[in-house]
Amino acid sequence: MSCVSSPTYSLTLNGNSFGFFKGKRGFRQGDPLSPLLFTICMEYLSKILNVVGQQDDFRFHPLCGHLRLNHLLFADDLLLFSKGTDTSIMWLLRDFATFSAASGLCLNKEKTEFYFNGVLPQTVEAILQVSVIKKGSLPFKYLGVPISSKKLTKTEGRKLMDKITARIRSWGANHLSYAVSWDKCCLPKAEGGLGIKHSKNWNKALLGKYVWWIASKKDHLWVKWIYHIYLKGTHWTNYNPPPDCSWSWKKIAHIMTIFRPAYSVDCWMGKQAAYTVKEGYNWLRGPNPEVSWWRVCWNSMNVPKASFIYWVVVLGRLLTKDRLTRMEGASDLRCFLCYSQDESHDHLFFDCVYTTRCVQLLQQKLQFSFDPRGLVGWCRRGRRNSLLVRRITSACYIQLIYLIWQERNKARLYSKVTQPGIIVTQGIQSVCTRFRTRNKSVIPREDDAWIQHLTQ
């Protein structure tokens, strides 16, 4: 209670901190202690309801008697179960009143409903009159999923997953408009992707956790329920779901058949270790070779948007004129920056007069030269320069690539091009500013002098 009654608070207004005052009116939403105190209270409620289950005249729900289950807690939601007798209902309501008297947490009758199935109408009416709680109808939705006394149909279960998947794919379509396949985007960065989780495989990996719990007979209430209702002594790896079971259970059983080759006598992949979602996801997608350029592309010195454009450049997916011609049939192929040659990926970033001048000015500022086409190998294997210098150099070049692409698009819209010296200076400033804000370690004297030279 000292943690509850002793804290003091201050307010920050317009960047300034004002005063301290005692927290005399209890917790408020967002207080770090609130979840802990709530959990303690719910533990007390759970113990009370367990005592209810020990009463001689209390009757459990027909599917819950074996596990002696009469309640489930989900965050701030409470589900109570019993056989549809007035005596059982009265036990639950009376003991909840005991909890309310001790904690001050009362039943919100506007948000509370009874759900009956197979109960005589006169019994239903008697319970509603005594409790003054309204009657609800099945199915109702919890966390977007229909809850019903009947099995969850394939259509009902798929609605939620389709909605989530559609949103993820919509985001990909709206933000990745460079004709990069979604499967490519879902590869790890080391394998040439963006590191985005593939929603379907990630969902399978998550379900694989349930499969592992069942296979290893984890001491979870849900696993006990599965063994009592579905498996009934059948070995999990040899189980076939009955045709009349729910869609969700069929899906879990199907996931079991997918992961079966990776399970071995309660071991994952032959290791003396438990299953993890990360390992399950990687096992599903399979191995892919590592690309040589990924560390340069996702260098922490890079400005993130520049890394993304460089990633698209490496894949050759920027919509340069030569690609637009194949897609849309454009007629004028001249480069927007030099108007001397046709625009293509190689021309824009290696052969264009404007780009060549920008690279020359960048090399002069960096005080040494490098081959843009061999930048990856130089950054990985260079020995004459420190790692910090190589990382900042590659970041400056990648930022320059981003600015050149930006200038190309501006030239297309406004027929104006910024002087090469200006965008080179802008690129260096962006990288050095990012470095200064992120770096907390001591910099060698020579490298520090070099960085100061870049910002002058």
Side-chain angles (χ1 to χ4, degrees):
M1 287 307 298
S2 295
C3 294
V4 177
S5 58
S6 63
T8 57
Y9 300 87
S10 64
L11 297 177
T12 300
L13 298 174
N14 298 326
N16 297 315
S17 181
F18 295 91
F20 287 90
F21 57 90
K22 285 278 187 179
K24 297 181 179 179
R25 295 184 61 84
F27 288 147
R28 289 292 180 266
Q29 185 174 358
D31 193 305
L33 279 175
S34 294
L36 175 61
L37 184 62
F38 182 79
T39 301
I40 294 173
C41 292
M42 292 303 102
E43 181 67 16
Y44 172 57
L45 173 59
S46 184
K47 289 183 179 296
I48 290 177
L49 294 171
N50 286 336
V51 172
V52 170
Q54 298 171 6
Q55 305 307 312
D56 293 336
D57 52 351
F58 179 82
R59 298 291 179 265
F60 287 96
H61 187 281
L63 293 179
C64 301
H66 177 77
L67 299 176
R68 302 187 67 80
L69 175 67
N70 63 3
H71 68 282
L72 288 174
L73 289 161
F74 297 93
D76 57 349
D77 290 324
L78 171 64
L79 300 178
L80 299 176
F81 310 96
S82 76
K83 190 175 178 64
T85 65
D86 50 1
T87 306
S88 299
I89 299 297
M90 289 307 105
W91 268 114
L92 293 175
L93 292 177
R94 191 183 74 173
D95 282 62
F96 193 88
T98 302
F99 168 76
S100 297
S103 66
L105 298 174
C106 300
L107 196 69
N108 186 336
K109 293 186 178 181
E110 293 298 321
K111 296 182 179 180
T112 305
E113 293 180 336
F114 273 119
Y115 300 97
F116 298 95
N117 190 49
V119 182
L120 296 174
Q122 56 269 31
T123 304
V124 171
E125 189 61 31
I127 292 173
L128 294 177
Q129 287 182 359
V130 174
S131 64
V132 198
I133 296 175
K134 60 187 177 180
K135 179 185 177 183
S137 59
L138 295 172
F140 66 93
K141 282 192 175 183
Y142 181 73
L143 298 179
V145 178
I147 305 298
S148 175
S149 60
K150 301 177 181 179
K151 67 178 182 181
L152 188 65
T153 66
K154 183 177 181 179
T155 302
E156 291 171 333
R158 180 168 287 174
K159 284 181 181 177
L160 183 62
M161 287 306 304
D162 286 349
K163 184 182 295 185
I164 295 173
T165 304
R167 286 191 176 185
I168 295 174
R169 291 187 177 276
S170 176
W171 178 89
N174 292 334
H175 293 81
L176 303 176
S177 55
Y178 293 101
V180 180
S181 71
W182 183 246
D183 288 340
K184 185 72 174 179
C185 295
C186 292
L187 290 176
K189 290 179 178 178
E191 297 173 8
L194 289 178
I196 299 172
K197 292 290 189 296
H198 193 288
S199 55
K200 288 187 176 181
N201 283 344
W202 185 250
N203 183 56
K204 290 178 181 177
L206 290 170
L207 291 175
K209 192 72 172 180
Y210 296 155
V211 174
W212 174 257
W213 284 348
I214 297 172
S216 55
K217 298 183 179 179
K218 288 291 184 181
D219 188 20
H220 294 312
L221 177 63
W222 177 77
V223 174
K224 293 177 181 178
W225 188 83
I226 289 297
Y227 270 93
H228 174 64
I229 299 297
Y230 286 116
L231 297 184
K232 300 177 180 178
T234 305
H235 195 278
W236 179 217
T237 55
N238 298 325
Y239 175 78
N240 290 313
D244 60 342
C245 69
S246 68
W247 171 83
S248 56
W249 176 241
K250 286 180 181 178
K251 179 61 68 174
I252 293 174
H254 173 66
I255 295 298
M256 181 268 293
T257 62
I258 294 176
F259 281 99
R260 184 184 291 159
Y263 292 136
S264 175
V265 193
D266 296 338
C267 293
W268 169 250
M269 296 292 291
K271 308 173 185 175
Q272 294 297 323
Y275 171 89
T276 64
V277 175
K278 179 180 179 181
E279 288 192 2
Y281 178 78
N282 289 333
W283 181 80
L284 281 171
R285 68 177 187 82
N288 289 287
E290 183 177 297
V291 296
S292 60
W293 45 264
W294 78 274
R295 294 186 187 276
V296 174
C297 180
W298 305 110
N299 172 11
S300 61
M301 304 293 179
N302 297 353
V303 178
K305 57 186 177 183
S307 287
F308 176 77
I309 291 298
Y310 183 73
W311 173 73
V312 182
V313 168
V314 172
L315 297 179
R317 293 294 181 176
L318 282 181
L319 298 180
T320 49
K321 279 190 174 182
D322 58 331
R323 295 194 74 237
L324 287 173
T325 299
R326 294 194 296 269
M327 297 167 60
E328 302 175 0
S331 56
D332 186 3
L333 298 181
R334 288 181 299 170
C335 173
F336 287 114
L337 296 177
C338 68
Y339 277 95
S340 60
Q341 297 182 36
D342 291 348
E343 182 185 86
S344 65
H345 174 274
D346 284 352
H347 168 79
L348 181 60
F349 296 109
F350 298 115
D351 301 327
C352 177
V353 174
Y354 182 87
T355 302
T356 301
R357 180 56 182 161
C358 289
V359 173
Q360 289 173 349
L361 292 174
L362 177 63
Q363 292 176 344
Q364 291 174 11
K365 191 67 175 178
L366 296 174
Q367 298 180 330
F368 56 82
S369 60
F370 59 88
D371 180 8
R373 296 178 189 268
L375 179 70
V376 172
W378 178 81
C379 289
R380 295 183 64 188
R381 297 184 294 274
R383 293 290 183 269
R384 290 179 297 174
N385 305 99
S386 70
L387 176 61
L388 177 63
V389 169
R390 297 200 301 273
R391 292 177 68 190
I392 291 179
T393 297
S394 66
C396 288
Y397 176 70
I398 288 172
Q399 183 68 16
L400 180 63
I401 290 292
Y402 166 77
L403 293 174
I404 288 173
W405 178 246
Q406 198 174 51
E407 284 301 314
R408 179 264 185 198
N409 293 330
K410 288 180 181 178
R412 180 184 181 185
L413 294 174
Y414 309 114
S415 301
K416 294 181 180 179
V417 179
T418 306
Q419 290 296 322
I422 296 177
I423 71 164
V424 169
T425 301
Q426 289 176 350
I428 293 175
Q429 291 290 346
S430 297
V431 173
C432 290
T433 299
R434 180 175 174 82
F435 169 74
R436 292 295 188 189
T437 56
R438 292 173 60 89
N439 184 67
K440 304 298 181 184
S441 59
V442 178
I443 308 172
R445 183 179 301 175
E446 292 183 0
D447 291 349
D448 188 54
W450 179 74
I451 294 171
Q452 290 182 9
H453 162 74
L454 292 180
T455 57
Q456 291 175 354

